[in-house]
Amino acid sequence: MQLLLGGTIFGATLLGVMVRPRNISEAWVALLGAVAMLLVGILPLKAILPTLAREWNVYGFFAGLMLIAFFAEQAGVFQALALQAARWANGSAQRLYLAVFLVGTLITAVLSNDATALILTPVVWTLASRLRLPALPFMFACTFIADTASALLPVSNPINILVLTRFNRELLEYWAYLLVPSLVCIGWNIGLFAWLFRRDLQGSYDLALLDDLTIANPRLYRTTLVGLGSIAVAYVAGSLWHVPLAFVALAGAALLAAISWWNGTFKPKQALHELSPALFGFISGMFLVVRAIEQLGWTERFGASLLQGSGASLGNIARVIFGSALGSNMINNVPMTLVMTSTLEHLPSTPEPALIYATIFGADLGPNLTIVGSLATMLWLVILRRKGLEISAKQYFKLGLLFVLPSLLIGTFWMWLMA
């Protein structure tokens, strides 16, 4: 009976996250799912605090990341990057398109895919509108590169932190498995989209249209840029020396807060407003729901049906990558990653590193297939709707299909070679 109840609650929770009936927040759906698991006796009350406490590194990383992005935006860093890109392109729409991809890669690598979708999208929209260029190709560049570049560093996607918190791996090993396929897929993304939108990118623009766009506080901008550079170095050093990335992110946020205070622009209430309760509610609810299905042995059964042991065979790697990607597009990559990490933890023996990195790769790049695959894409969609630009699921899927399938094959074969 409990198996049936648990499966029903789990399915209803995932469906609610996807459909959001009556615009109910994903956070409330996930938390209601956790409460239902508690009420029917599947989730023990005594398991709640230990389950949430185990994820302290994820919570700290999210909080630090949100504050870092806020202070960077306040200092005009993203606007300055867009302006520099437009000047570097020197009137060429094609060069500007390349520059947007490169800026998106940089922001994603250091500040995560969510920061790229949330902050770069409106900046590039304004830039394209002022330069009288077709906005659609540039908007697709913002969302696709956010997920495509999100495996470059552990901090490039919160999904990476979810996995690496469970499996303590070396940064050099992480790069050995993920750096090459990530760089190849970034190049493939740029080349494919430049070709698909070649007619829209044939024009040019007048740089004089940007003359009135300036940085309001140059000193704040320069010092914040130095702070962001220090944070990027600290992220790499922290990954190398196994320092929890929550500490690095929170220390980085404190550094940028001090820079803001020194420049006379510190607004603590506004900064704290950036700490989204909805996001923390969503991931907390999903942690508890997945903990409940672990209690029922569902993830163990899922692993047994999906994988043939814990070895890094080509078949196993392909099933993990394509399974993570497909599941991310069906139920979003946060719950799918939690299910996959739990599955790997419950294998009869310790999973091979290739399977761990296959989970990351599939959950990072796979969501480019649909508009509901990742939080970054959903944030991007909300921003565009506010601008009056509607993107259909079919329109997105056609682009995603051309890009994602070759990307997943690239990742599969590289990890098989490295295993």
Side-chain angles (χ1 to χ4, degrees):
M1 184 65 179
Q2 278 202 325
L3 278 175
L4 180 60
L5 275 174
T8 302
I9 294 169
F10 182 61
T13 303
L14 296 179
L15 184 63
V17 167
M18 291 289 297
V19 177
R20 294 182 59 209
R22 298 185 181 181
N23 290 324
I24 298 174
S25 160
E26 294 93 342
W28 283 114
V29 173
L31 289 170
L32 286 171
V35 170
M37 291 290 195
L38 180 66
L39 291 177
V40 299
I42 297 172
L43 178 66
L45 184 62
K46 64 181 181 181
I48 292 178
L49 282 179
T51 298
L52 298 180
R54 183 174 71 163
E55 308 298 342
W56 64 269
N57 190 35
V58 176
Y59 290 118
F61 174 74
F62 268 117
L65 175 65
M66 290 175 192
L67 292 172
I68 289 169
F70 165 75
F71 288 118
E73 183 182 23
Q74 181 191 53
V77 170
F78 305 109
Q79 179 178 308
L81 286 172
L83 287 172
Q84 289 296 328
R87 292 183 181 119
W88 173 80
N90 196 29
S92 166
Q94 290 178 332
R95 282 175 58 117
L96 180 60
Y97 198 54
L98 171 62
V100 167
F101 269 105
L102 296 178
V103 169
T105 299
L106 176 64
I107 294 173
T108 298
V110 178
L111 292 179
S112 91
N113 60 334
D114 296 331
T116 300
L118 188 61
I119 299 168
L120 186 64
T121 301
V123 170
V124 172
W125 170 273
T126 301
L127 189 66
S129 300
R130 277 179 167 267
L131 296 176
R132 299 164 191 167
L133 295 171
L136 196 59
F138 291 92
M139 295 301 95
F140 277 125
C142 290
T143 184
F144 270 81
I145 198 59
D147 284 334
T148 304
S150 67
L152 284 171
L153 283 169
V155 298
S156 303
N157 192 331
I159 292 300
N160 306 347
I161 305 298
L162 288 175
V163 178
L164 296 176
T165 296
R166 304 287 181 92
F167 305 99
N168 191 19
R169 315 305 303 181
E170 298 282 346
L171 178 62
L172 294 181
E173 180 190 78
Y174 178 98
W175 274 336
Y177 279 93
L178 292 175
L179 184 59
V180 169
S182 292
L183 293 175
V184 171
C185 289
I186 289 168
W188 162 235
N189 197 173
I190 295 170
L192 175 67
F193 278 34
W195 182 78
L196 291 174
F197 293 110
R198 61 193 181 282
R199 292 187 180 88
D200 297 311
L201 301 172
Q202 287 176 350
S204 59
Y205 57 87
D206 183 0
L207 274 171
L209 295 169
L210 302 176
D211 285 348
D212 61 329
L213 284 181
T214 56
I215 302 302
N217 190 329
R219 188 177 76 166
L220 174 63
Y221 163 69
R222 288 193 297 269
T223 49
T224 301
L225 203 59
V226 172
L228 286 171
S230 303
I231 293 167
V233 172
Y235 275 145
V236 175
S239 299
L240 280 170
W241 298 331
H242 298 287
V243 176
L245 291 176
F247 294 162
V248 180
L250 291 169
L255 172 63
L256 295 192
I259 289 172
S260 179
W261 174 80
W262 181 55
N263 284 278
T265 60
F266 183 53
K267 298 174 182 177
K269 288 184 179 179
Q270 200 173 345
L272 290 175
H273 184 69
E274 295 300 308
L275 297 176
S276 167
L279 179 60
F280 289 106
F282 173 59
I283 59 175
S284 297
M286 290 313 306
F287 284 145
L288 294 173
V289 169
V290 172
R291 176 72 174 85
I293 65 168
E294 286 177 358
Q295 288 283 117
L296 295 172
W298 275 55
T299 53
E300 196 170 348
R301 290 185 181 91
F302 180 64
S305 64
L306 180 69
L307 300 173
Q308 297 173 358
S310 54
S313 66
L314 179 60
N316 271 355
I317 293 169
R319 281 187 284 270
V320 170
I321 285 186
F322 281 85
S324 297
L326 182 61
S328 295
N329 285 289
M330 293 173 64
I331 63 173
N332 188 270
N333 62 350
V334 172
M336 188 60 201
T337 300
L338 293 175
V339 169
M340 285 303 303
T341 52
S342 176
T343 298
L344 294 178
E345 283 183 316
H346 286 88
L347 289 175
S349 57
T350 303
E352 290 290 329
L355 300 183
I356 296 169
Y357 297 116
T359 299
I360 291 175
F361 193 84
D364 281 0
L365 274 78
N368 271 328
L369 195 59
T370 67
I371 57 175
V372 294
S374 73
L375 176 62
T377 307
M378 292 190 287
L379 290 170
W380 171 83
L381 202 62
V382 169
I383 292 166
L384 293 196
R385 283 174 180 163
R386 288 174 183 167
K387 302 291 184 185
L389 183 61
E390 287 288 337
I391 304 294
S392 71
K394 181 180 178 182
Q395 189 178 11
Y396 197 95
F397 180 74
K398 285 168 68 177
L399 276 178
L401 195 62
L402 288 172
F403 169 71
V404 170
L405 289 182
S407 298
L408 297 181
L409 288 172
I410 289 167
T412 298
F413 283 106
W414 177 261
M415 284 174 216
W416 177 62
L417 290 173
M418 291 300 300

